[in-house]
Amino acid sequence: VMGFSDKLFLFVLLPPIIYESAFMMDRRTFFHNAGSIMLIVVPGVVLSTAVIAVGTVAAGRMGWFTHEGREPLNFSSPLEASLFGSLISATDPVATLAILSTVHISPVLFALIFGEAMLNDAVSIVLYQVLRWYGDDAFSLSAMPVVMVDFLGIAVGSVLVGSGVGLCSAYLQRQVMGRAGHSVTGEMTLVILFGYLAYVASDACNLSGITALLVCGICQRYYTFYSISHEAQHASHHVLKLMASRAEQFVFLYLGINVFLVSGEADLTSQVVRREWGQALLCFAFFEVALCVFARLVMVLCMCGLANLQRKHRPSHFNEMMLMWWAGLRGAMAFALAKDLDNEVIVSLTITVVLFTNLVQGCTTAWLVRRLNLVR
């Protein structure tokens, strides 16, 4: 019987992917462009979610996807459309890095694209959590100030947890492990366990584990990394990259299998049954792909335009904006959040968008870089 738990995604597969991205990033280029990245990430995710939610609800209420009196989503409320918009706005850092590693672009452009991919996962999951907690009440005018405060509270609390655990890791590594003698296995184990501790502790406090893990990874790379031996520093690059790549491969393996399975359980020992797509749902999926591409285009143009106002020395050109738009690949995070919702329609829509962005956009990104004359 084919079955899969979303807890396996959230607590086993996702942490090494996010942690490796945070621990191995280019700190100097990232922090030099942190203002522009945060402007693209935080308001950008909210804008993208809003565009997808409004477009989905508007098309649904016009009856475009009604089949035999049934609707694929509840279009009377913006909740389900907003949940889908929040989870599908998360771009995948590993898929994005895999594509960008095949081309040579400017370090600043690379930092903007990869920095956004790494951080907007955290913003997406915080927005997703807030929408799930409040439900339809999140869209009432009286509740919006409380929702915004909770959104900021989760973000700030997660940052505090992640930074606190990261600093404790650095202190313990220097004071305890340094006196006890260096052990590559012990040092690597302690580094990884503290990263996972930040994730679990933040999740237990109803905060964002992804945000805490990102901040903890950055703190550990900035402080803990220089307290461990040179052998452990060298091993960390290979161990973390191996863990992240294997987790991502497993995610996409299951994602590919899931496309060909009927909803629910399927016996692979007898036969593999293709997923049953209704005509209305198929049209709905194609519509959502186009809407997600459009929403990202609107987000990139608006947020990069605002970022250029404070980037006097190095504004983003139109060709660079087009690459940022096209390089927004979806992956593990979007699929994990969709599975957590336990809504087969949203899972199907997410699979469609993930496949399109990886197979179509991913395969044409290198060609687009050459076409836009962005090769260095």
Side-chain angles (χ1 to χ4, degrees):
V1 176
M2 183 67 178
F4 200 82
S5 171
D6 58 284
K7 299 300 181 184
L8 183 60
F9 271 109
L10 297 176
F11 289 96
V12 178
L13 299 177
L14 286 182
I17 297 171
I18 301 300
Y19 185 63
E20 189 270 343
S21 300
F23 198 86
M24 296 300 175
M25 74 174 184
D26 185 347
R27 292 173 293 127
R28 179 175 298 179
T29 306
F30 175 82
F31 284 112
H32 185 71
N33 298 277
S36 300
I37 293 173
M38 294 306 298
L39 183 61
I40 296 171
V41 167
V42 182
V45 169
V46 176
L47 176 60
S48 176
T49 300
V51 172
I52 293 172
V54 170
T56 300
V57 172
R61 290 183 178 180
M62 286 188 288
W64 288 7
F65 313 113
T66 303
H67 179 66
E68 297 179 354
R70 295 179 296 136
E71 295 178 336
L73 293 179
N74 180 17
F75 296 122
S76 61
S77 167
L79 178 60
E80 291 187 347
S82 298
L83 285 170
F84 174 71
S86 65
L87 67 89
I88 208 63
S89 296
T91 54
D92 182 55
V94 176
T96 303
L97 181 61
I99 295 300
L100 294 181
S101 63
T102 63
V103 296
H104 299 282
I105 58 178
S106 70
V108 174
L109 181 57
F110 182 90
L112 289 175
I113 297 175
F114 183 63
E116 182 224 348
M118 187 178 67
L119 292 178
N120 74 352
D121 278 356
V123 178
S124 294
I125 199 170
V126 171
L127 181 59
Y128 170 87
Q129 286 177 332
V130 170
L131 289 173
R132 290 203 68 178
W133 287 345
Y134 284 92
D136 292 325
D137 294 336
F139 304 97
S140 64
L141 292 177
S142 59
M144 279 192 177
V146 181
V147 172
M148 293 178 63
V149 170
D150 277 354
F151 180 86
L152 293 176
I154 292 173
V156 173
S158 303
V159 170
L160 292 177
V161 171
S163 58
V165 174
L167 293 176
C168 287
S169 169
Y171 177 81
L172 186 63
Q173 195 77 53
R174 179 178 294 272
Q175 297 297 325
V176 178
M177 296 297 293
R179 295 176 182 176
H182 292 289
S183 167
V184 175
T185 303
E187 289 172 323
M188 280 302 306
T189 301
L190 194 64
V191 168
I192 295 173
L193 286 180
F194 265 94
Y196 196 73
L197 175 62
Y199 183 86
V200 175
S202 183
D203 187 78
C205 296
N206 290 324
L207 300 173
S208 171
I210 297 297
T211 305
L213 185 59
L214 279 170
V215 175
C216 182
I218 293 172
C219 288
Q220 286 185 305
R221 184 64 174 86
Y222 201 82
Y223 297 107
T224 310
F225 184 77
Y226 298 103
S227 299
I228 60 180
S229 63
H230 293 292
E231 293 81 1
Q233 291 177 2
H234 180 73
S236 65
H237 292 273
H238 300 285
V239 172
L240 294 179
K241 187 171 290 294
L242 177 65
M243 292 172 58
S245 63
R246 293 300 175 267
E248 187 75 9
Q249 288 168 6
F250 189 86
V251 168
F252 280 101
L253 175 64
Y254 177 70
L255 184 64
I257 294 174
N258 204 58
V259 175
F260 300 98
L261 297 181
V262 180
S263 301
E265 298 179 346
D267 186 2
L268 291 179
T269 59
S270 58
Q271 60 179 347
V272 176
V273 186
R274 291 185 175 274
R275 178 177 292 276
E276 296 178 353
W277 293 82
Q279 185 175 0
L281 183 59
L282 187 59
C283 295
F284 188 32
F286 288 150
F287 172 80
E288 289 299 331
V289 169
L291 183 60
C292 289
V293 173
F294 173 73
R296 179 161 180 84
L297 176 62
V298 172
M299 184 274 290
V300 169
L301 293 178
C302 292
M303 294 302 107
C304 286
L306 291 176
N308 282 343
L309 297 179
Q310 57 97 17
R311 288 173 59 86
K312 303 296 185 182
H313 64 288
R314 177 60 171 80
S316 298
H317 303 295
F318 180 76
N319 285 1
E320 294 176 331
M321 296 182 193
M322 291 297 98
L323 180 60
M324 293 178 65
W325 161 57
W326 197 247
L329 309 181
R330 276 65 165 189
M333 176 59 73
F335 187 47
L337 294 178
K339 293 291 291 183
D340 185 54
L341 271 180
D342 196 25
N343 184 315
E344 282 297 321
V345 172
I346 291 181
V347 171
S348 299
L349 296 177
T350 304
I351 290 173
T352 306
V353 175
V354 170
L355 289 178
F356 176 84
T357 57
N358 282 271
L359 296 180
V360 178
Q361 294 180 223
C363 292
T364 56
T365 298
W367 170 84
L368 185 65
V369 170
R370 295 190 295 271
R371 188 71 176 176
L372 295 175
N373 296 319
L374 295 175
V375 180
R376 286 201 59 175

